[in-house]
Amino acid sequence: MENNVLNENDPSLRDKMLAELFLDQTMNDFKRSKILREIDQSLKNKDKQAFLRLTEELKSVS
């Protein structure tokens, strides 16, 4: 019921909210992917400090 009221009053608001959710998810996916690549690189370089920092950063994105 509440969704129908929202859609009837301002259909563009629903579209804006969906677009914002999509953008947020896309940005999180991009950040996660970037961090995972950096973690792989830190493992190749045997850089423990970078690995620990990046794994903590990954926890905040996931």
Side-chain angles (χ1 to χ4, degrees):
M1 173 90 175
E2 193 172 302
N3 263 351
N4 291 338
V5 172
L6 179 64
N7 293 343
E8 290 172 8
N9 291 336
D10 190 358
S12 67
L13 180 58
R14 186 180 123 258
D15 293 342
K16 289 176 187 175
M17 291 172 67
L18 287 173
E20 187 173 331
L21 287 171
F22 176 77
L23 182 58
D24 287 345
Q25 184 63 47
T26 302
M27 290 299 296
N28 281 340
D29 291 347
F30 175 78
K31 288 177 188 176
R32 188 173 192 283
S33 176
K34 182 177 182 272
I35 293 169
L36 288 171
R37 284 192 308 272
E38 291 177 359
I39 287 173
D40 287 344
Q41 190 62 45
S42 71
L43 289 169
K44 287 177 187 175
N45 295 339
K46 298 179 182 178
D47 185 347
K48 184 177 179 179
Q49 292 283 52
F51 174 79
L52 293 173
R53 177 180 52 80
L54 291 163
T55 53
E56 285 301 313
E57 193 174 331
L58 182 62
K59 289 178 189 177
S60 70
V61 173
S62 298

